[in-house]
Amino acid sequence: EVQLVESGGGMVQPGGSLRLSCAASGFTFSTYDMSWVRQAPGKGSEWVSRINTAGVSTYYADFVKGRFTISRDNAKNMVYLQMNSLEPEDTALYYCARDEGDPYEWDYWGQGTQVTVSS
């Protein structure tokens, strides 16, 4: 059974940092690209970042470039999202998702971890 379990969310002040983690199990982790996707209250899902199987190539939505960094550890079946310079607009439920092959298509999601940026 494929499982993706996120952690690391919380409440932080504007300008602060958080590191999200996603533990994957039930599939050969190293053979899949992985993404982070978020959903703000009252809005649709929004792709944030993707990392390729080897962790060499990373991609970011324009609104997080220079602030967020995605990484992975294939030995531990983990994917991470380091978020710096957080803004209130980053408030959302953040999901770890397995890429199914086509761009911006995912076949498994975690349960999400809440990030709230507020003073």
Side-chain angles (χ1 to χ4, degrees):
E1 178 188 5
V2 173
Q3 285 195 318
L4 299 169
V5 180
E6 303 94 336
S7 61
M11 181 175 287
V12 63
Q13 292 187 338
S17 298
L18 283 173
R19 188 192 194 209
L20 306 184
S21 299
C22 173
S25 62
F27 64 102
T28 306
F29 178 72
S30 61
T31 64
Y32 287 86
D33 287 10
M34 297 295 296
S35 286
W36 287 95
V37 181
R38 71 186 187 185
Q39 185 166 19
K43 296 186 177 181
S45 60
E46 185 174 48
W47 171 76
V48 175
S49 181
R50 189 173 94 249
I51 189 166
N52 77 336
T53 54
V56 173
S57 297
T58 56
Y59 310 89
Y60 299 94
D62 286 345
F63 55 80
V64 302
K65 278 183 181 177
R67 299 190 298 125
F68 291 10
T69 303
I70 191 171
S71 61
R72 68 191 294 163
D73 185 335
N74 285 344
K76 296 182 178 179
N77 288 3
M78 297 288 295
V79 61
Y80 306 99
L81 187 68
Q82 177 66 44
M83 305 187 297
N84 298 329
S85 302
L86 283 161
E87 303 167 352
E89 294 74 21
D90 295 316
T91 294
L93 192 59
Y94 282 73
Y95 297 93
C96 171
R98 191 179 81 169
D99 286 65
E100 68 168 19
D102 291 330
Y104 311 112
E105 297 287 340
W106 308 283
D107 55 2
Y108 287 94
W109 301 59
Q111 83 290 347
T113 185
Q114 178 66 40
V115 172
T116 302
V117 185
S118 175
S119 55

